[in-house]
């Protein structure tokens, strides 16, 4: 089983804000910095291959397996929510991914797996569905908070069917595993792993990202262009980035933006702002010199353990594709403030100030950077933006 660490780091890949003169235009007629879909995918696969020590062909094979298992997992999660647990990639590039199922897999699930574009292994007889694992995660976290711990993380491990907790101890709360386990509800006698640490290595980091945003004496990163059901448009950043009032578009300078709503809790850490003239096309910065069109959104059920996702932040100022999905759902509490349903990567690839920026792959939006928890970078899935804020990422 892959082991976790815990932390909050804020990364970035962001949005293209049009100047006021183009307020009603979807995008400039010609953008010399805009990548094609093929260029975007090639760049990301090249970075992934270098980071993982693969050839480009191996990175492409793993990408095809990722797309296939993601599509399958999304279908199964929708049709069989009581049975769906999650999915994981093989550590061998292009190897058969695994679909995890609670109980005995229904023949219809087997049929869907057989129709996938790659060979898929099914690991059924799992003890809990993803919905149940999420509920156990939430309840375990709440019980640990109730014991007095205020800096901790709990995370769902779909490959083992367990919930894992990492707890920062203090002189007042240096309790042993035996004592804590005895104080938990009886349902946690099994399927829970408790870990104690002197430092959770968790925190929030402020600075520049995809598009720079500022206000209240702080600097953060814009994440994605969004739209409400009634057509109002704007941009996102991290929910803990309080007081942001301006966004910078390279070449045109700073533009005012107005705070609309913030969410820090059950559906992640994110907020959004409107900008003059609704000038928010479906574009984001892949790095300082290239932009991409946002063409799709990753469903929450499509997030696959072992999947490569990229992030770009203005502080690090380079696109990083070296991190893999470690946990599809994590709750992190820092100094008593809890954030749920974050995705945990397997390493810390961001730095102070990348808060709010976008996680992406090719032209697909995955998430908005939050920080680091248990030492690793974490983000809010864009699939939860409607729940958190009532907005959706714009796509073209």
């Amino acid at each position: 089983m892959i082991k976790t660490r815990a932390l909050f780091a804020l990364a970035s890949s962001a949005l293209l804000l049009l100047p006021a003169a183009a307020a009603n235009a979807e995008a400039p007629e010609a953008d010399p910095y805009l990548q094609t879909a093929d260029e975007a995918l090639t760049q990301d696969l090249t970075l992934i291959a270098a980071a993982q020590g693969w050839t480009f062909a191996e990175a492409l094979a793993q990408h095809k397996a990722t797309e296939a298992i993601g599509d399958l997992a999304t279908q199964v999660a929708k049709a069989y929510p009581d049975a769906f647990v999650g999915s994981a990639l093989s550590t061998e590039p292009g190897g058969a991914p695994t679909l995890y199922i609670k109980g005995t897999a229904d023949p219809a699930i087997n049929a869907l797996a057989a129709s996938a574009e790659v060979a898929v292994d099914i690991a059924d007889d799992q003890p809990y569905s993803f919905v149940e694992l999420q509920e156990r995660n939430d309840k375990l976290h709440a019980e640990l908070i109730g014991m007095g711990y205020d800096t901790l993380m709990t995370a769902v491990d779909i490959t083992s069917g367990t919930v894992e907790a990492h707890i920062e101890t203090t002189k007042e709360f240096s309790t042993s595993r035996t004592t804590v386990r005895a104080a938990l509800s009886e349902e946690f006698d099994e399927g829970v792993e408790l870990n104690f640490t002197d430092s959770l290595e968790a925190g929030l980091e402020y600075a520049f990202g995809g598009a720079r945003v500022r206000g209240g004496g702080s600097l953060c990163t814009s994440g994605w262009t969004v739209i409400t059901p009634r057509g109002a448009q704007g941009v996102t950043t991290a929910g803990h980035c309080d007081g942001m009032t301006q966004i910078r578009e390279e070449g045109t300078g700073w533009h005012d933006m107005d705070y609309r709503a913030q969410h820090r809790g059950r559906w992640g850490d994110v907020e959004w702002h409107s900008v003059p003239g609704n000038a928010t096309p479906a574009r984001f910065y892949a790095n300082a010199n290239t932009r991409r069109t946002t063409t799709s959104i990753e469903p929450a059920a499509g997030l696959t353990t072992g999947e490569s996702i990229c992030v770009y932040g203005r502080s690090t100022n380079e696109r990083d594709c070296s991190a893999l999905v470690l946990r599809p759902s994590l709750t992190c509490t820092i100094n008593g403030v809890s954030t749920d349903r974050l995705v945990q990567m397997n390493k810390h690839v961001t730095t102070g100030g990348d808060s709010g920026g976008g996680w992406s792959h090719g032209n697909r939006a995955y998430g908005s950077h939050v920080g680091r928890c248990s030492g690793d970078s974490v983000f809010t899935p864009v699939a939860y933006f409607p729940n958190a804020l009532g907005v959706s990422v714009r796509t073209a």
Side-chain angles (χ1 to χ4, degrees), residues 329-382:
S329 184
L330 171 146
T331 300
C332 197
T333 296
I334 305 175
N335 298 326
V337 178
S338 298
T339 306
D340 303 324
R341 290 171 174 77
L342 301 173
V343 172
Q344 181 185 12
M345 305 304 285
N346 71 341
K347 62 195 299 188
H348 182 207
V349 296
T350 47
T351 190
D354 289 340
S355 297
W359 286 78
S360 62
H361 187 286
N363 295 82
R364 182 175 301 164
Y366 277 75
S368 173
H369 193 68
V370 175
R372 57 194 178 109
C373 193
S374 192
D376 300 316
S377 292
V378 294
F379 66 82
T380 299
V382 296

Side-chain angles (χ1 to χ4, degrees), residues 41-392:
L41 180 59
T42 297
Q43 181 184 30
D44 285 356
L45 292 182
T46 299
L47 291 171
I48 290 168
Q52 302 302 327
W54 297 341
T55 65
F56 183 87
E58 288 174 328
L60 179 59
Q62 190 76 328
H63 170 70
K64 290 179 178 178
T66 302
E67 292 292 285
I69 192 64
D71 289 344
L72 174 63
T74 301
Q75 293 179 63
V76 174
K78 182 177 180 179
Y80 305 94
D82 294 337
F84 175 75
V85 181
S87 59
L89 291 171
S90 169
T91 56
E92 294 297 322
T98 302
L99 179 70
Y100 292 83
I101 298 295
K102 176 187 175 182
T104 302
D106 187 282
I109 294 177
N110 290 322
L112 282 173
S115 67
E117 294 186 4
V118 299
V120 174
D121 293 332
I122 295 183
D124 57 3
D125 293 327
Q126 301 300 310
Y128 304 104
S129 69
F130 182 80
V131 172
E132 291 169 330
L133 284 171
Q134 182 68 68
E135 290 173 347
R136 285 172 62 79
N137 177 84
D138 294 347
K139 185 174 181 180
L140 175 64
H141 202 95
E143 290 193 15
L144 292 170
I145 291 288
M147 292 180 191
Y149 296 105
D150 69 354
T151 302
L152 70 150
M153 63 149 278
T154 55
V156 168
D157 185 344
I158 61 102
T159 63
S160 65
T162 62
V163 177
E164 184 174 334
H166 289 251
I167 307 163
E168 183 172 296
T169 59
T170 64
K171 291 181 179 179
E172 294 80 9
F173 296 102
S174 56
T175 317
S176 70
R177 287 182 180 83
T178 301
T179 304
V180 172
R181 192 174 290 279
L184 292 171
S185 298
E186 184 178 348
E187 67 185 277
F188 296 126
D189 287 348
E190 297 180 349
V192 169
E193 182 178 335
L194 299 176
N195 301 280
F196 294 88
T197 178
D198 292 335
S199 175
L200 190 65
E201 298 183 55
L204 307 173
E205 303 169 353
Y206 297 83
F208 294 123
R212 305 178 186 190
V213 292
R214 69 183 183 185
S218 298
L219 299 169
C220 279
T221 300
S222 60
W224 300 98
T225 56
V226 292
I227 189 167
T228 70
R230 293 188 176 184
Q233 300 173 29
V235 299
T236 64
T237 188
H240 62 270
C241 291
D242 293 323
M244 299 296 105
T245 58
Q246 290 186 309
I247 183 169
R248 180 177 177 81
E249 170 59 24
E250 301 301 330
T252 66
W254 292 96
H255 301 266
D256 291 336
M257 60 182 192
D258 296 319
Y259 170 84
R260 297 297 296 271
Q262 179 189 87
H263 179 87
R264 296 182 69 188
R266 184 173 178 81
W267 301 104
D269 178 314
V270 64
E271 68 183 38
W272 80 285
H273 301 252
S274 59
V275 297
N278 265 2
T280 58
R283 292 190 180 176
F284 66 98
Y285 286 96
N287 57 36
N289 299 312
T290 59
R291 292 186 281 262
R292 297 179 183 178
T293 300
T294 310
T295 59
S296 62
I297 297 167
E298 180 73 359
L303 289 159
T304 304
T305 299
E307 178 175 4
S308 296
I309 310 176
C310 306
V311 63
Y312 166 64
R314 293 278 180 173
S315 281
T316 51
N317 202 32
E318 61 180 15
R319 186 168 180 79
D320 192 296
C321 298
S322 65
L324 310 176
V325 174
L326 181 63
R327 298 283 186 268
S329 184
L330 171 146
T331 300
C332 197
T333 296
I334 305 175
N335 298 326
V337 178
S338 298
T339 306
D340 303 324
R341 290 171 174 77
L342 301 173
V343 172
Q344 181 185 12
M345 305 304 285
N346 71 341
K347 62 195 299 188
H348 182 207
V349 296
T350 47
T351 190
D354 289 340
S355 297
W359 286 78
S360 62
H361 187 286
N363 295 82
R364 182 175 301 164
Y366 277 75
S368 173
H369 193 68
V370 175
R372 57 194 178 109
C373 193
S374 192
D376 300 316
S377 292
V378 294
F379 66 82
T380 299
V382 296
Y384 295 149
F385 283 9
N387 306 79
L389 300 171
V391 301
S392 299

